[in-house]
Amino acid sequence: MSKKRREALWGYFFVSPFILGLIVFWLGPILFSLFGSFTDYNLTSKMNYIGFDNFKRMFNEDDLFWKALKNTFYFTLFNVPLTTLFSCVLALMLNCRIPGIRIYRTIFYLPAVLTGVAVYVLWMQLLSPNHGLVNLVLSWFGISGPAWLSDPNWTKPALILMKLWSAGGSMLLYLATLQSIPKTLYEAAEMDQATSWHKFRYITLPLITPIIFFDITTSTIGSFQIFQEAYVMTENSRGGPANSLLFYNFHMWNKAFVAFDMGYAMALSLFLFFIILIITIINLKVAPYWVFYAGGDKK
């Protein structure tokens, strides 16, 4: 056996755990879900092939499907740009040299570490209409706070507010990108008498567009998959008042693990996959027109 072939075999041997896990825990479930979406499977019955009946039911008979899809698009449409803008502005503010700046950076990053059910329960207390801290602060300025999670018109803004609070993870990415920009570019701009706005417009902004693109793409995917927040923060896990927090993943979970209608739930998951795939492809196609890299070449 040649040396090149031996090295290749050893390479495959070392990556075999990953390949095996990829097949068993990723590719296998995807193929099973793909086939199951065309059946009437309910965990206990045989997987009887029914063609496109699940998809016909999805579009023509399931009113909650359209409600869940609308809620998810609403949340994504407002959550992604707001969290992206807030993270970027926060990083710009913290990208300075002042005493104690590391403490401020730690404070703003800390909410990104504190995730999970405990945080959602905490925000339920903060957003309480009568005793919550948020409405108490608003009352200091003469503003009567809304009912938040009890009002269908304010449930989704409440979740977006919570997401803004935990934007420290993205902020850290922007901050690292800002600190990697060569100082010589700003020095050359100052020699040309460029203003602060010109330096931001023609140096800072173009060089952080790759991380903006990454943040928008991952945030969009995450927003379409929102589930845990709505499940924990709604009464009896029912999707909030008037199903205002019944997001797509929440509706799919109800069909799978409450109604045990697995075939239909798999069809829902397949449709969500194509939604995310189409949006991601559009982002990738549009990216070369506004994303720039350090070398000046569009990728």
Side-chain angles (χ1 to χ4, degrees):
M1 186 180 297
S2 65
K3 180 180 178 181
K4 184 176 181 181
R5 178 167 293 184
R6 288 200 305 269
E7 290 179 349
L9 289 176
W10 276 111
Y12 285 120
F13 173 76
F14 284 118
V15 300
S16 60
F18 171 77
I19 296 175
L20 183 62
L22 187 70
I23 295 173
V24 175
F25 299 108
W26 189 77
L27 184 60
I30 287 180
L31 295 177
F32 179 82
S33 178
L34 178 62
F35 174 74
S37 63
F38 297 97
T39 68
D40 59 353
Y41 182 54
N42 65 0
L43 288 182
T44 59
S45 67
K46 292 179 63 177
M47 301 182 72
N48 300 314
Y49 181 78
I50 59 173
F52 290 91
D53 288 356
N54 284 328
F55 297 95
K56 294 177 182 178
R57 172 186 168 192
M58 185 189 308
F59 294 112
N60 300 323
E61 302 176 17
D62 188 359
D63 293 334
L64 291 180
F65 163 77
W66 295 107
K67 181 69 175 180
L69 193 63
K70 178 182 176 182
N71 288 339
T72 306
F73 269 100
Y74 176 98
F75 178 79
T76 303
L77 183 63
F78 287 96
N79 178 65
V80 172
L82 287 177
T83 53
T84 301
L85 180 62
F86 183 71
S87 301
C88 186
V89 171
L90 200 58
L92 289 169
M93 295 173 59
L94 295 175
N95 187 34
C96 58
R97 296 180 180 273
I98 60 173
I101 188 62
R102 293 183 179 179
I103 298 176
Y104 289 109
R105 291 170 181 170
T106 303
I107 292 173
F108 283 107
Y109 176 70
L110 193 60
V113 181
L114 305 174
T115 59
V117 175
V119 173
Y120 307 145
V121 174
L122 172 63
W123 270 95
M124 290 173 66
Q125 300 298 321
L126 292 174
L127 296 171
S128 174
N130 301 321
H131 310 289
L133 181 61
V134 175
N135 281 359
L136 177 62
V137 173
L138 291 176
S139 67
W140 295 346
F141 300 94
I143 302 174
S144 178
W148 295 112
L149 296 174
S150 301
D151 186 347
N153 297 319
W154 285 95
T155 51
K156 287 184 284 293
L159 259 64
I160 294 172
L161 177 63
M162 184 182 70
K163 288 295 185 180
L164 289 175
W165 176 76
S166 59
S170 300
M171 176 270 297
L172 196 64
L173 296 176
Y174 286 109
L175 185 60
T177 305
L178 289 171
Q179 294 185 348
S180 67
I181 298 177
K183 303 298 181 183
T184 53
L185 297 178
Y186 294 109
E187 294 172 356
E190 290 175 357
M191 293 180 62
D192 291 334
Q193 298 181 347
T195 63
S196 298
W197 165 250
H198 287 144
K199 287 188 287 185
F200 172 77
R201 171 65 180 83
Y202 296 104
I203 298 177
T204 305
L205 186 58
L207 292 179
I208 65 173
T209 50
I211 200 64
I212 293 177
F213 169 70
F214 172 80
D215 190 22
I216 290 176
T217 303
T218 55
S219 296
T220 302
I221 295 173
S223 296
F224 270 103
Q225 295 177 334
I226 182 173
F227 164 76
Q228 190 177 27
E229 296 86 342
Y231 180 78
V232 174
M233 299 176 71
T234 57
E235 185 177 358
N236 298 323
S237 303
R238 294 298 182 184
N243 290 318
S244 57
L245 288 182
L246 184 66
F247 295 113
Y248 195 95
N249 261 11
F250 200 170
H251 181 50
M252 182 170 59
W253 185 90
N254 284 333
K255 291 298 181 182
F257 300 106
V258 177
F260 295 106
D261 194 353
M262 280 293 178
Y264 184 63
M266 292 178 188
L268 289 171
S269 68
L270 184 62
F271 185 72
L272 179 62
F273 168 77
F274 281 112
I275 291 177
I276 295 176
L277 178 64
I278 292 172
I279 293 177
T280 303
I281 291 175
I282 293 174
N283 285 338
L284 291 172
K285 292 295 183 180
V286 175
Y289 296 99
W290 65 276
V291 178
F292 300 89
Y293 293 86
D297 297 328
K298 299 179 181 180
K299 303 295 184 182

